Amino acid sequence: MGCVQSKCYGRCARLCCCHYQPSSLSTDDAGEGADSFRIHETDSPQRRALSSAGGSLGSATVPSAGLCLRYASLTQRGYYPDSLDRANQDSFCVRTNFQANPDLHFFGVFDGHGQFGAQCSDFVRDKLADILASDARLSEDPIKAYQFAFLATNSSLHDSEIDDSMSGTTAITVLVSGGALYVANVGDSRAVAGVWNGNCLLAEDLSSDQTPYRKDEYERVRLCGARVLCVDQVEGMMDPDIQSWGDEEDGDGDPPRLWVQNGMYPGTAFTRSVGDSTAESIGVIAIPEVKTVKITPNHLFFVVASDGIFEFLSSQAVVDMVSLRDDCFTSLLLPACIADYIVFCCYGY
């Protein structure tokens, strides 16, 4: 959920993962820079199916952990009856062999919002990756590197020619570093892992949506001066003194949003983002929450996606969809109502 101005209210490891073999490393994986953005193509029915739907496939290895990654991306614009030509403002980034290090691989999804959301999304995608790539601390202290990169990217967006006063982007990123994942989140996009537990595949959230539904985020923005109200409350159809909106998963499509004290803007349904300089005055920040996850044999894959996915599907539903088919990658084809980017990555030993 973005700004009110821009948003409508059997185990698969054996099927989709492969064992690491050094000889399988593509020469395309060796470099950093422009080539590392390329999705490594293979002439397969799965790749052709994803390409026809706006997606692509690739692979990379993690030598120190003995892992082989396979990844795919897919985007499709959701169906908006009142805006059939509505642009998809989201973008994604895949950089394998980050910093020319075969043990570092970077994945991100950026969900733009506002009038200039597409420009903000593209800017943050490129700038954040570039700043991380130039930070010598990344492999030794990813958390500090992440925090610096997000704040520096936010400042750069403010200083750019893009008007981010009422526009910006959320960002969900995953850095694969050897046998660990470092997940940095700003906003309401999400990363989730499929974890084998006994005889079933369970969803493990790798990030926590930063919205007013969270008590800690609600209290933080209120202390910064934000009014937290749903649209019905702002328009006088519901008591504004009611400061309880139930559970995010069971919401009715009218979530709590952030407003300045004496105006009906900006109306953001998230409490953190990159850009949104007006919303910064009421507590919206670009400081990421970073989670560290050790990859185990039971962690079969992870999915990074914008709220255009998770607004309609639970984390468990997304994990179930990925594991439904014999080839996990073909299960990235999504219902027509769902919009935005999804990046899926599986790994095997």
Side-chain angles (χ1 to χ4, degrees):
M1 300 171 184
C3 287
V4 70
Q5 292 89 350
S6 67
K7 285 277 187 182
C8 291
Y9 306 128
R11 184 173 184 175
C12 67
R14 59 184 176 83
L15 302 174
C16 65
C17 297
C18 51
H19 293 276
Y20 166 56
Q21 295 179 352
S23 61
S24 67
L25 181 62
S26 167
T27 55
D28 286 338
D29 286 330
E32 168 64 21
D35 286 346
S36 62
F37 279 98
R38 191 186 317 157
I39 302 293
H40 308 297
E41 298 183 351
T42 57
D43 187 18
S44 66
Q46 293 86 357
R47 192 195 74 79
R48 290 193 294 272
L50 275 172
S51 294
S52 67
S56 49
L57 293 172
S59 63
T61 57
V62 189
S64 69
L67 297 176
C68 178
L69 305 178
R70 292 178 65 205
Y71 55 88
S73 66
L74 180 70
T75 183
Q76 61 185 30
R77 190 178 66 83
Y79 176 62
Y80 299 90
D82 298 329
S83 184
L84 296 177
D85 60 347
R86 189 188 186 108
N88 187 339
Q89 295 182 302
D90 300 354
S91 62
F92 82 106
C93 175
V94 172
R95 286 204 191 186
T96 57
N97 293 284
F98 209 44
Q99 295 187 333
N101 184 339
D103 287 320
L104 289 179
H105 308 283
F106 180 72
F107 304 86
V109 168
F110 306 87
D111 184 352
H113 51 261
Q115 182 178 358
F116 304 107
Q119 294 96 314
C120 291
S121 174
D122 289 346
F123 181 94
V124 172
R125 173 198 63 199
D126 297 339
K127 179 62 71 172
L128 181 68
D130 287 345
I131 293 174
L132 283 172
S134 64
D135 195 328
R137 299 171 297 179
L138 183 61
S139 59
E140 297 299 324
D141 196 341
I143 295 176
K144 279 190 178 178
Y146 257 139
Q147 291 172 338
F148 173 81
F150 270 91
L151 292 176
T153 299
N154 191 52
S155 295
S156 295
L157 179 56
H158 291 339
D159 294 337
S160 73
E161 296 180 354
I162 302 170
D163 180 1
D164 71 343
S165 58
M166 297 285 283
S167 299
T169 184
T170 61
I172 179 71
T173 67
V174 176
L175 178 73
V176 180
S177 178
L181 305 178
Y182 293 90
V183 184
N185 181 45
V186 169
D188 56 0
S189 295
R190 191 181 304 173
V192 58
V195 183
W196 188 250
N197 184 4
N199 60 354
C200 58
L201 189 62
L202 300 180
E204 175 188 329
D205 285 332
L206 304 180
S207 62
S208 177
D209 300 355
Q210 296 150 354
T211 74
Y213 283 109
R214 274 178 50 178
K215 183 178 179 181
D216 58 338
E217 288 292 285
Y218 166 81
E219 292 176 347
R220 183 180 61 77
V221 297
R222 288 265 294 180
L223 287 173
C224 292
R227 291 190 300 154
V228 182
L229 304 167
C230 66
V231 171
D232 279 352
Q233 289 174 309
V234 170
E235 295 181 346
M237 293 183 290
M238 182 177 169
D239 185 351
D241 291 331
I242 297 174
Q243 293 285 282
S244 176
W245 300 272
D247 182 80
E248 185 170 7
E249 297 291 338
D250 302 321
D252 61 359
D254 188 12
R257 297 174 179 272
L258 276 59
W259 314 87
V260 297
Q261 286 296 323
N262 298 306
M264 294 181 64
Y265 64 91
T268 63
F270 44 78
T271 54
R272 303 192 191 202
S273 72
V274 184
D276 294 296
S277 57
T278 298
E280 284 187 353
S281 67
I282 52 173
V284 174
I285 57 176
I287 299 172
E289 292 181 311
V290 184
K291 182 174 182 177
T292 304
V293 180
K294 177 177 172 56
I295 301 173
T296 72
N298 289 333
H299 285 82
L300 305 186
F301 57 83
F302 65 81
V303 178
V304 186
S306 61
D307 79 310
I309 305 298
F310 293 109
E311 188 175 350
F312 298 96
L313 298 171
S314 67
S315 296
Q316 188 62 52
V318 170
V319 165
D320 291 343
M321 287 178 66
V322 170
S323 62
L324 279 178
R325 305 188 186 185
D326 285 348
D327 188 307
C328 294
F329 286 86
T330 61
S331 65
L332 282 171
L333 303 178
L334 299 169
C337 65
I338 296 178
D340 306 340
Y341 264 104
I342 182 168
V343 175
F344 160 68
C345 184
C346 70
Y347 30 68
Y349 289 81

